[in-house]
Amino acid sequence: MLSVAAGLVGPQRARLVEAEFPDEPTLRREVLVMLETHDTISRALGPAQVAALSSASLDDFTGAPPQSDEETLTIGRRYGPYQVIRRLGAGGMGQVFLAEDTRLGRRVALKSLAGRWLVSPNARQRLLQEARAVAALSHPHIATLYDVLDDADHLLLVMEYVEGRTAAALIAEGPLPLRQALRLASQIIDAVVYAHERGVVHCDLKPLNVQVAVDGTAKVLDFGLARAGHLSAIADSESETTQVRLIGTPPYMPPERLLTGTLNEAGDIYSLGVTLFELVTGRRPFQEPSFALLTGAILGTTPPQASSIAKDCPSSLDNVIARTLEKDPKRRYQTARELGAALQAVRNQVEPAGTTWHARALMALAIIASAVIVPTILGFIITATFNLTFGRTLAFGNERPLDWFQWGARSLVSPFVYMTVLAMGVLAVGFVVRIFSLFGPIGGAKRALGQWLHRVESRLGLDDPVVLGQALAACGLVAVLLVLWAFLDLMTAFTGTTNRSPAELLAPLAPAASVQRSLYRALLDVLILAFSLGIFRVVRQRRQRQVRGGMGPLIVAIAIVVLLVLANVIPFRIMFHNEFEAADVGGSRCYIIRELDADMLLFCPDVPPPRNRITSRNDLSVRRLGVIENVFTPAASRAGS
């Protein structure tokens, strides 16, 4: 019936389907959708390819090993510097062998390429062009392409050897635990983000092209290999075949590729969605046995929710998968980085569920202890600096640990509030930009700007956490020098001593310079927030990419942030809490810095150094004025006696 209906159009087709299924309206609609899909594919591919596809099975596209067991390389023989040890496996584009690099003493994987697409006179040239782009990729979740051997008899790709099993082999044993599935998917997406931002599209992402090392690390294989075959075939139309035009593996192909052969980043995102679905559920979203039925399902059927198969799958993950599998590329995630962020949010939701109450209790205790210890230590440093500046020695400088905590906590309130407001402002601006980006021109401009920034980041190497750490350290040193240059007079004032420093050096501490002091703290707050976010990004990238070395720049960047924090809080008491009770001492204006049982410490700014003096609380020459003011207030602007 279907073959007859496919030859009909319009009302005739509808009447035939209705006659076949008079009591099943839902089935009638599905059959009509499938027939319309067949029409769309026929118009897109043309009669010749439709005929070829009609007789094709999925095994013709899935990269199944060739039927022949004849090995393309000889075990024990050397090809260039690589000596073949044994065959590892075979795929639709050739066989893979384990070999040893006799120069470096390391094991590598040799992929001996095969297939009709290599007959094209342009194939090898295109492959080498693609290989140069792929060889530039250096990422912990991408199998590195070391070399290409090209001679009259062979075309060999020399790749990183990853001992382990493919993700497809793991899935074949049953659905993976949710956390493991999400961890592997995040690593795969991280690799795709890295490649896409360098202009490399995979075109055949699937579990079979993901090797899982013995330590659980995912390595994506064959970046650019499928695209190389596609470009070769386009350059030589005589070798163009169905397998070349519909490049990839049908169950993982996006609708637009099935219809037009489009190869782009959106197609990789769709393939990531299918792979994520399979990692979580143990099966693909569409499992139709033939190419024709599978194509109809991909183009015209809504995939099932992962949670309907994997009961531990959260609804948030359903939403992520559904968006990656949208039929319309514009409704999918627009970048792999955006998909990675969405999946990370799901992981953040899932991961804490397994945290034990012991770990939570220890974390809570650590937070509480830090909230007490850190302000107390800072308060001790602030008080010691204040005592040194105002000459409060011996008993006059003694304060309780509770006082230290209070001064430390007070010094942190202003930076915390300021940085919180600043962060909220940045988030608000980002939200507004996202709203306006819903409009076509603004959204396009935003994407163009984002792509330009990614290109700049790539060219500078800032996507490498080691390089980013170096950049942070360098920028931090420059920032420290600029702050030192811009506020040298202020820092000279609060690092000196009021008892002996020349009066003109203490002018930045006077009331008239309050704006400068506030600007100093605000600038340090901004720098602390910016560099802290940069360090967080470096640490996250190092953890995701499992980077071990290159810690020096990161340590320098952390040290710079600590220095900025200390430069912000240590002078807090000197700059903002230098107001004391004024007193007249024999006609001179003095301030009561501190009182003890029988004595008091005075600071007299208008007398030659030393300006501090200790006197008895019963000294009749000391007349309290009942005025509280900044001790650095110039004599001409002081309140009346």
Side-chain angles (χ1 to χ4, degrees), residues 506-542:
L506 302 177
L509 299 175
S514 60
V515 174
Q516 182 188 22
R517 296 197 295 273
S518 297
L519 180 61
Y520 170 81
R521 294 205 83 197
L523 177 60
L524 291 184
D525 290 340
V526 172
L527 292 176
I528 291 168
L529 179 61
F531 283 104
S532 297
L533 292 175
I535 290 171
F536 173 78
R537 182 179 179 186
V538 172
V539 171
R540 184 180 63 181
Q541 287 186 352
R542 290 180 65 91

Side-chain angles (χ1 to χ4, degrees), residues 476-553:
L477 292 173
V478 172
V480 169
L481 292 176
L482 288 176
V483 170
L484 182 63
W485 171 75
F487 297 97
L488 181 61
D489 57 341
L490 177 60
M491 286 186 280
T492 301
F494 66 67
T495 54
T497 61
T498 60
N499 191 32
R500 296 187 178 277
S501 296
E504 60 271 14
L505 293 183
L506 302 177
L509 299 175
S514 60
V515 174
Q516 182 188 22
R517 296 197 295 273
S518 297
L519 180 61
Y520 170 81
R521 294 205 83 197
L523 177 60
L524 291 184
D525 290 340
V526 172
L527 292 176
I528 291 168
L529 179 61
F531 283 104
S532 297
L533 292 175
I535 290 171
F536 173 78
R537 182 179 179 186
V538 172
V539 171
R540 184 180 63 181
Q541 287 186 352
R542 290 180 65 91
R543 184 175 66 252
Q544 290 175 342
R545 302 183 183 183
Q546 299 180 343
V547 178
R548 295 289 181 264
M551 283 293 295

Side-chain angles (χ1 to χ4, degrees), residues 378 382 407-419 422 483 487 490-491 494 513-529 564-577:
L378 288 177
I382 291 169
W407 282 114
R410 291 174 66 180
S411 72
L412 294 173
V413 168
S414 176
F416 177 78
V417 171
Y418 185 85
M419 286 189 281
L422 181 63
V483 170
F487 297 97
L490 177 60
M491 286 186 280
F494 66 67
S514 60
V515 174
Q516 182 188 22
R517 296 197 295 273
S518 297
L519 180 61
Y520 170 81
R521 294 205 83 197
L523 177 60
L524 291 184
D525 290 340
V526 172
L527 292 176
I528 291 168
L529 179 61
L564 292 173
V565 170
L566 294 177
N568 196 356
V569 301
I570 286 178
F572 168 74
R573 196 168 174 181
I574 301 170
M575 293 195 303
F576 298 100
H577 294 276

Side-chain angles (χ1 to χ4, degrees), residues 42 204 282 308 354 579 630:
S42 299
D204 196 19
S308 67
E579 296 178 340
N630 188 316

Side-chain angles (χ1 to χ4, degrees), residues 390-391 396 499 584-594 599-616 619 621-622:
F390 280 92
F396 288 103
N499 191 32
D584 182 277
V585 183
S588 297
R589 185 75 155 209
C590 296
Y591 296 91
I592 303 172
I593 302 300
R594 190 167 189 195
D599 299 317
M600 55 185 174
L601 175 66
L602 300 177
F603 169 66
C604 303
D606 298 332
V607 302
R611 302 185 180 92
N612 287 2
R613 63 185 63 181
I614 299 174
T615 185
S616 171
D619 190 340
S621 65
V622 177

